[in-house]
Amino acid sequence: MSNVPITIAHGDGIGPEIMRATLRVLEAAGARLAPETIEIGEAVYYRGQTAGIELSAWESLRRTKVFLKSPITTPSGGGFKSLNVTVRKTLGLYANVRPCVSYDPYVATHFPGVDTVIVRENEEDLYAGIEHRQSDEVYQCLKLVSRPGCEKIVRYAFEYARVNGRKRVTCMTKDNIMKLTDGLFHKVFDEIAKEYPGIANDHMIIDIGAARLATRPQTFDVIVTLNLYGDIISDIAAEVTGSVGLGGSANIGDQCAMFEAVHGSAPDIAGKGIANPSGLLLAAVMMLVHIGQGDVAEKIHNAWLTTLEAGVHTGDIFHEKVSELKVGTDAFADAVIERLGQRPARFTPVEYAGGTPVSVAGRISVTHPAVKTLLGVDVFLHWRGAPNVLGPQLEALNGDGLELTMISNRGVKVYPDGMPETFCTDHWRCRFQSTTASGTVTLSQVLSVLMRVGNAGLDFVKTEHLYAFDGVSGFSLGQGQ
């Protein structure tokens, strides 16, 4: 078989050390690779590339479509964008997959027997990064959730479970509060779960789900969730299993994929030869499975497990009661290489040789346009004062088929019939809706009320149209309504 082109980046801090160790193991195991090297990270940031990656590097990534990446250092201060977020979103890497496994008794943990996989949506949610300052006191961040985005990640989670012999997929959202965005994710989960009758499924609110993950992680199998929640709970899961330093991560798209350790660049120990290469090595194992070299992945992973069982440990996991030999980065790689072809005795050997990569490409349902009806507009004002003063001012602007129906502050209704105890900022949502029997309005009516608001000397900083889709309301009421 011909060698598979991949792009590698040695990164910053301990990155070059763990990448060299990982590549030595891959070569010794017979991985059929043709690596191309790019430069990313701190030096590139300081050359003026705000995302830490050069244009020439993108050419390599788009050509090979497989990226094995060491951790990088993002300079402190403003003006620098996250390289990981940039790569994930630019290349459409919608699924972040993080296995979290307990390696007791060789790695200290309070929770033996954990083997959980977090499947995190990677492109949407609050990580869209669309933020605005709208008043002296209020900043906003838009939470964007799309049906195709939900469908891709949920379907990926079920396909991952099917391909890897997993028994249950748990969805975690906060749809008791965010009924539209998180509600969409939960709805799509329920729809797709019906296509996999052989895999159990359940749903948990994210707060109790995270608590259960921190106290009973062994009860979970595969978890699928939105971007921010997934970022948080994947670190929780990695930490309770013993060490974030052992975690590998895959970022999967329809065309490209990126594989990396979940830990950072650890500049405080860079150059000392003591870093644990396991996170990047296990990410490389995931890469090998992805490119169809499960036989090599199986050989490396079982050798790694055998090395742990032999008590050959780097300093971060070394413990006198279970460890036999404390080694550095290169010696640990040597120990894994020596055990290639061996299978662990205490751990269950992994089997990848007959496996197939997980893919959901081309399996997104077609969304048919809904009948979209405009029912009103939310006008957001930058204004200081009390709601019982603002309300009458806005009611005086009623007309042309639109009238003020409600004012809220930070999502809580404060006019009419608000409570005097409610704390208010200088940012107000003022809802105008139709006075006609049909309940519908036109864009001309919306523009007219905005003109009246502006002429009254009120500073509107944002508007949101209120729509119904096929007769179903597409906007929230807010607390207290």
Side-chain angles (χ1 to χ4, degrees):
M1 297 176 65
S2 59
N3 290 342
V4 177
I6 68 168
T7 300
I8 64 171
H10 290 266
D12 301 314
I14 62 172
E17 301 164 62
I18 63 174
M19 179 61 79
R20 285 193 299 268
T22 296
L23 292 177
R24 285 203 299 115
V25 176
L26 294 178
E27 181 179 5
R32 303 174 290 279
L33 304 174
E36 300 179 7
T37 301
I38 62 171
E39 183 184 15
I40 60 172
E42 194 170 28
V44 181
Y45 278 115
Y46 283 132
R47 288 204 296 268
Q49 296 293 333
T50 57
I53 183 170
E54 303 274 12
L55 287 176
S56 59
W58 288 113
E59 295 172 5
S60 175
L61 293 174
R62 295 182 66 206
R63 181 171 55 254
T64 69
K65 303 187 183 305
V66 180
F67 188 18
L68 181 61
K69 169 188 163 293
S70 270
I72 67 160
T73 300
T74 303
S76 58
F80 301 107
K81 296 190 293 185
S82 165
L83 172 65
N84 270 6
V85 173
T86 299
V87 172
R88 289 168 180 168
K89 296 178 73 171
T90 301
L91 297 180
L93 310 182
Y94 62 88
N96 181 229
V97 184
R98 285 179 58 170
C100 300
V101 180
S102 296
Y103 299 106
D104 57 288
Y106 306 101
V107 179
T109 175
H110 294 296
F111 302 100
V114 176
D115 185 1
T116 298
V117 178
I118 312 296
V119 180
R120 162 194 171 194
E121 198 287 318
N122 229 5
E123 298 179 284
E124 301 185 329
D125 194 15
L126 294 167
Y127 281 45
I130 303 175
E131 298 183 283
H132 306 90
R133 181 177 181 177
Q134 296 198 319
S135 70
D136 294 322
E137 298 175 343
V138 173
Y139 299 69
Q140 77 165 13
C141 181
L142 297 182
K143 180 184 177 86
L144 300 179
V145 177
S146 73
R147 182 176 181 90
C150 295
E151 189 168 342
K152 282 196 296 185
I153 193 65
V154 170
R155 191 176 298 283
Y156 187 94
F158 277 98
E159 278 297 303
Y160 183 96
R162 182 186 66 80
V163 168
N164 291 281
R166 298 281 178 156
K167 304 301 183 184
R168 180 163 57 98
V169 179
T170 300
C171 173
M172 292 190 185
T173 73
K174 190 66 176 174
D175 65 339
N176 59 330
I177 301 298
M178 286 165 282
K179 301 179 185 299
L180 295 181
T181 51
D182 286 32
L184 173 63
F185 196 94
H186 189 178
K187 177 184 177 183
V188 170
F189 176 84
D190 287 345
E191 292 172 357
I192 292 178
K194 295 176 183 178
E195 301 177 23
Y196 296 85
I199 300 173
N201 69 87
D202 61 346
H203 171 267
M204 300 186 75
I205 297 300
I206 186 63
D207 41 13
I208 188 60
R212 293 275 175 84
L213 186 61
T215 56
R216 285 175 261 174
Q218 62 270 32
T219 63
F220 294 99
D221 194 352
V222 176
I223 299 173
V224 63
T225 189
L226 295 98
N227 204 338
L228 177 61
Y229 310 144
D231 195 4
I232 295 168
I233 67 169
S234 56
D235 276 1
I236 293 174
E239 188 70 13
V240 299
T241 54
S243 175
V244 171
L246 300 182
S249 172
N251 299 269
I252 307 296
D254 289 338
Q255 300 183 50
C256 303
M258 177 173 68
F259 303 87
E260 59 187 343
V262 302
H263 60 74
S265 60
D268 55 321
I269 62 170
K272 297 181 179 180
I274 61 174
N276 190 340
S278 295
L280 187 60
L281 183 60
L282 293 179
V285 166
M286 300 173 77
M287 177 191 73
L288 291 170
V289 174
H290 177 77
I291 63 176
Q293 297 186 27
D295 55 335
V296 185
E298 182 177 309
K299 185 189 299 184
I300 293 172
H301 201 161
N302 282 324
W304 182 81
L305 291 170
T306 306
T307 303
L308 281 191
E309 286 186 345
V312 182
H313 299 160
T314 49
D316 57 315
I317 61 172
F318 184 89
H319 194 285
E320 292 180 353
K321 291 184 178 180
V322 294
S323 302
E324 297 292 334
L325 181 65
K326 182 187 291 187
V327 296
T329 309
D330 291 333
F332 184 83
D334 291 337
V336 175
I337 291 170
E338 290 172 7
R339 290 166 175 79
L340 290 170
Q342 298 182 25
R343 293 166 70 84
R346 179 157 184 166
F347 294 126
T348 302
V350 298
E351 295 183 358
Y352 298 127
T356 58
V358 179
S359 175
V360 299
R363 297 181 60 187
I364 303 304
S365 60
V366 177
T367 303
H368 298 286
V371 176
K372 183 177 170 184
T373 309
L374 182 60
L375 303 178
V377 62
D378 279 344
V379 181
F380 292 79
L381 300 182
H382 179 192
W383 185 84
R384 291 182 181 273
N388 59 353
V389 175
L390 179 60
Q393 288 186 40
L394 291 173
E395 287 172 335
L397 306 178
N398 291 342
D400 191 25
L402 280 174
E403 68 177 8
L404 180 75
T405 58
M406 177 270 295
I407 300 174
S408 71
N409 195 288
R410 299 188 300 166
V412 180
K413 180 183 175 184
V414 293
Y415 184 89
D417 304 321
M419 299 292 181
E421 294 84 3
T422 303
F423 178 79
C424 295
T425 68
D426 61 355
H427 187 262
W428 309 80
R429 176 180 62 160
C430 310
R431 176 161 291 176
F432 288 87
Q433 292 181 275
S434 173
T435 60
T436 65
S438 68
T440 63
V441 301
T442 65
L443 290 176
S444 295
Q445 289 173 285
V446 171
L447 292 173
S448 177
V449 75
L450 291 178
M451 185 68 71
R452 296 195 299 273
V453 170
N455 289 339
L458 296 170
D459 179 16
F460 64 87
V461 294
K462 175 190 174 183
T463 63
E464 290 285 353
H465 291 179
L466 309 177
Y467 289 109
F469 294 82
D470 289 337
V472 178
S473 175
F475 51 93
S476 63
L477 295 177
Q479 302 300 319
Q481 293 177 249

